Amino acid sequence: MAKTSKATAPARKKLERSTTDLTQTICERQKAGPKQICLWDAKLRGFCLRITPAVTEKRGRKEITKGGARSFWLKLSRTRKNSDGTKTVTPTWIRIGSFGAKTDSDLTVEVARKRAQKLKDIHEQGGDVRAIRQEQRNPDDVRQLVKEYKESRAYTKLRQSTRNALTSYCLLYTSDAADE
């Protein structure tokens, strides 16, 4: 007679994570699919290019495809020991920037990989990457930009309703934006 064992939950299957040497050509030519795609880099562990899903809409006779945005990400993990002896792994995703974005000084694969390596080095030395990234977004810089814009000639040419809208928007970032 065969022994029967208690029913146990099936082991989770690990998703295969294919890595490739990310190049400019691969990043440009990869097409967006119905699901999000992550192209993992073989040179730097945790570095990937995420491509958002493409959605096709019908507007009259035209079919418009939206999505397919490409951005570089770095996945960092912090392992912590619990009081009962088990380990907890907490993943953190850090966005490096958009691929080929004109506003990000034409972010290429090489530049993004260097930025990711710097952040990874900080993380491995025990630094808090998110806190460092937050410090780089200095509110004093935003205050200075708002002040310079309000003193510019372009601001004085705006209608009062537009000025009010800009002022209320700037209040989100600065406390002294309403001062005129």
Side-chain angles (χ1 to χ4, degrees):
M1 203 177 200
K3 284 187 176 180
T4 56
S5 62
K6 290 182 181 177
T8 58
R12 283 188 183 178
K13 289 183 182 178
K14 267 199 167 178
L15 295 175
E16 284 192 34
R17 194 165 125 166
S18 60
T19 59
T20 183
D21 186 15
L22 282 181
T23 62
Q24 199 75 8
T25 308
I26 290 173
C27 294
E28 288 169 354
R29 291 188 180 170
Q30 179 67 42
K31 298 203 187 271
K35 293 183 178 180
Q36 179 175 286
I37 300 170
C38 277
L39 298 176
W40 295 94
D41 188 30
K43 290 183 180 177
L44 182 61
R45 185 172 173 82
F47 177 64
C48 74
L49 175 76
R50 267 194 204 171
I51 303 172
T52 60
V55 178
T56 304
E57 291 181 356
K58 255 193 161 181
R59 289 191 185 167
R61 295 180 194 167
K62 293 182 181 178
E63 283 192 2
I64 299 170
T65 304
K66 293 182 178 179
R70 298 153 197 273
S71 55
F72 293 106
W73 290 80
L74 178 64
K75 184 180 180 183
L76 302 171
S77 297
R78 184 129 0 234
T79 306
R80 168 173 68 88
K81 238 184 182 179
N82 296 330
S83 59
D84 59 353
T86 60
K87 291 181 182 179
T88 303
V89 178
T90 309
T92 302
W93 287 89
I94 306 290
R95 186 175 181 276
I96 306 297
S98 296
F99 172 71
K102 302 281 188 250
T103 57
D104 209 357
S105 65
D106 294 327
L107 187 63
T108 62
V109 177
E110 292 79 24
V111 174
R113 191 179 287 128
K114 286 178 186 175
R115 288 184 189 176
Q117 183 63 54
K118 286 179 186 176
L119 292 172
K120 192 170 183 178
D121 290 342
I122 292 168
H123 177 75
E124 288 173 354
Q125 293 171 1
D128 186 7
V129 177
R130 287 187 180 251
I132 292 169
R133 294 283 300 251
Q134 193 63 35
E135 286 174 11
Q136 291 173 350
R137 297 181 186 123
N138 192 349
D140 293 334
D141 295 340
V142 176
R143 283 190 188 97
Q144 183 63 29
L145 286 172
V146 169
K147 184 178 178 185
E148 287 174 13
Y149 181 68
K150 283 188 164 192
E151 292 170 356
S152 73
R153 189 163 183 234
Y155 182 77
T156 59
K157 289 185 173 184
L158 296 175
R159 283 192 278 161
Q160 188 61 41
S161 61
T162 308
R163 285 188 203 174
N164 293 343
L166 284 173
T167 302
S168 64
Y169 183 74
C170 292
L171 281 171
L172 296 172
Y173 297 101
T174 62
S175 58
D176 57 347
D179 299 336
E180 290 191 28

